[in-house]
Amino acid sequence: MSIARSPLAPAAFPSLPGIAGVTLRVARARYKAWDRCDLTFATLDPGTSVAGVLTNSRCPSPEVEWCRKALVLGRARALVVNAGNSNAFTGNRGRAAVEAIAARAAGHLGCEPSDIFVASTGVIGVPLPVDKAEAGLDAAFTAEPCGWEDAAATIMTTDTFAKAAATQAVVDGRTVSLVGIIKGSGMIAPDMATMLGFIFTDAAAEPGFLQHALAEANRRTFSCITVDGDTSTSDTVLAFATGAAGNAPLASEDSNGADAFRAALADLCRQLALLVVRDGEGASKLITIDVDGAESDRSAHVIAMSIANSPLVKTAIAGEDANWGRVVMAVGKAGEPAERDRLAIRFGDTQVARDGLAVEGYDEAPVAAHLKGREIEIGVDLGLGEGRATVWTCDLTHGYISINADYRS
């Protein structure tokens, strides 16, 4: 299946720094009938800390269950990512495949299997073939190290472009770098993380601090995006801190540079989350939804996601139709406190409705012009309180149907 590059994609892959303590390699396990690498193997220096956020799906993959247990120990020596087969809903055969992958990688590195993190993405319900996984790993063990772009491309499935971002922070008087790669374009409605995302930093950070920082960043970024309202069985975001920068380890909110690191991590997660939305299956427009005046931030988030997940809103934006009545519908169905006669709605900078009815005599021309752009803003003010939230989504086009109707072929 050939998919055209998203019109919302960045012009080029970014220039990214290397992260000391991280070595990337890719190989062909041939999980599908494609002529490309589909196994990523990242080795991590001893002493690397790890944190993660994982899907809340009640039908998680064996990889998610494996990572959930390994995260308790807080250490990592390697990451293995398989593309083309999610290994989800595969029973004991799927669990055995994950155990075999971890054991083989651990044997190669001379560490414990629990130091190996495994993630897989692709078709649900097909057991990961152990022979292909082991052959792919053996090839990766002897492959030449590669750069971020090769690693980001190897974890793709229906993605139309490789996704990565970077940022820096000053921690304990030292400049630390953070780099992330991510994949995802469909089955995107994470209420924890998003698809598969992997963050690497040379900062020294204790696992507990790193976990808290990642969870907070996730709450404001990955958990605020949606493409189609569907949460994956395999959603995983992992953060690895090698400590090679030599700063005093970040252990608590009072550590020198803790605030700067947390801000940098949140910035990186936001960059990665928006790249996923820009590659939403069939997407032609990036939509930012701001909700203000709700009774609480939680309530604002629920309302914003109701708007973002509405097929009627998303198709109206695809058709460049300023049908604000569909936004009213989405607010009303959210089940959160709202008063019709206090509600206000805007498209871009133009107020289209206020106090429960259309703004008298508003000029639709600037709204029409705004909707012809690639980046759309919808604003809602409920007039009830101080709660606010921002979420990001994309429009819904025929392309989404075409990609998913042919996904297994």
Side-chain angles (χ1 to χ4, degrees):
M1 178 173 56
S2 178
I3 307 172
R5 183 179 175 88
S6 170
L8 304 174
F13 193 84
S15 176
L16 305 172
I19 298 294
V22 179
T23 303
L24 305 168
R25 293 180 171 87
V26 298
R28 293 182 181 180
R30 305 186 188 280
Y31 292 123
K32 295 180 69 175
W34 50 19
D35 187 23
R36 50 157 283 194
C37 291
D38 52 6
L39 185 146
T40 302
F41 181 57
T43 56
L44 308 158
D45 281 359
T48 295
S49 298
V50 61
V53 284
L54 302 160
T55 184
N56 283 324
S57 170
R58 297 300 179 92
C59 298
S61 69
E63 285 83 345
V64 166
E65 294 176 324
W66 177 273
C67 289
R68 187 169 281 132
K69 292 179 181 178
L71 281 167
V72 175
L73 303 175
R75 64 175 186 265
R77 286 297 316 281
L79 167 69
V80 179
V81 187
N82 305 298
N85 183 321
S86 77
N87 196 38
F89 214 73
T90 52
N92 289 332
R93 290 179 62 186
R95 284 186 282 273
V98 176
E99 292 169 359
I101 289 169
R104 201 173 193 88
H108 174 71
L109 294 174
C111 64
E112 295 296 320
S114 57
D115 295 334
I116 310 300
F117 286 77
V118 186
S120 301
T121 178
V123 174
I124 293 172
V126 179
L128 192 76
V130 175
D131 57 340
K132 292 185 177 181
E134 292 182 336
L137 272 174
D138 290 344
F141 294 158
T142 58
E144 290 295 317
C146 68
W148 295 112
E149 186 167 10
D150 285 338
T154 298
I155 67 175
M156 290 167 40
T157 52
T158 60
D159 306 61
T160 70
F161 63 92
K163 305 172 182 65
T167 190
Q168 292 183 322
V170 176
V171 175
D172 190 35
R174 298 174 184 267
T175 298
V176 303
S177 298
L178 300 88
V179 173
I181 61 175
I182 198 163
K183 66 82 51 185
S185 56
M187 202 179 288
I188 307 301
D191 50 10
M192 43 51 63
T194 181
M195 302 54 64
L196 301 185
F198 309 106
I199 295 167
F200 305 88
T201 178
D202 55 6
E206 296 293 337
F209 171 84
L210 190 62
Q211 182 64 46
H212 185 271
L214 180 62
E216 177 61 21
N218 162 70
R219 185 181 66 81
R220 294 181 284 129
T221 59
F222 298 128
S223 287
C224 293
I225 66 171
T226 179
V227 168
D228 47 23
D230 288 330
T231 296
S232 171
T233 58
S234 306
D235 289 344
T236 299
V237 171
L238 299 172
F240 303 97
T242 69
N247 61 285
L250 294 164
S252 73
E253 304 305 311
D254 297 327
S255 297
N256 189 5
D259 287 346
F261 180 84
R262 290 171 59 222
L265 180 60
D267 172 62
L268 180 66
C269 291
R270 184 180 185 277
Q271 292 184 61
L272 295 172
L274 287 179
L275 287 173
V276 171
V277 179
R278 287 182 176 277
D279 203 17
E281 289 174 344
S284 67
K285 299 179 188 294
L286 172 69
I287 307 170
T288 300
I289 300 169
D290 293 310
V291 173
D292 293 287
E295 285 197 348
S296 66
D297 290 348
R298 185 206 62 81
S299 181
H301 178 79
V302 171
I303 291 169
M305 291 298 279
S306 178
I307 299 167
N309 282 323
S310 166
L312 289 177
V313 172
K314 291 157 73 73
T315 50
I317 299 301
E320 301 174 355
D321 178 13
N323 191 341
W324 55 266
R326 295 183 176 184
V327 178
V328 174
M329 174 278 301
V331 172
K333 76 169 185 175
E336 292 296 313
E339 292 186 22
R340 180 197 60 206
D341 294 341
R342 293 189 181 188
L343 187 63
I345 299 169
R346 65 173 173 83
F347 283 83
D349 295 327
T350 304
Q351 201 75 34
V352 299
R354 184 186 294 116
D355 299 329
L357 70 166
V359 172
E360 186 175 353
Y362 89 88
D363 184 1
E364 194 166 314
V367 177
H370 179 68
L371 292 178
K372 290 186 180 300
R374 292 293 190 191
E375 300 193 9
I376 310 302
E377 296 179 11
I378 298 175
V380 172
D381 192 328
L382 286 98
L384 298 177
E386 301 298 322
R388 60 178 52 190
T390 298
V391 305
W392 298 274
T393 189
C394 56
D395 56 342
L396 181 59
T397 71
H398 290 288
Y400 182 88
I401 298 171
S402 298
I403 291 168
N404 285 285
D406 296 336
Y407 182 63
R408 293 201 305 164
S409 60

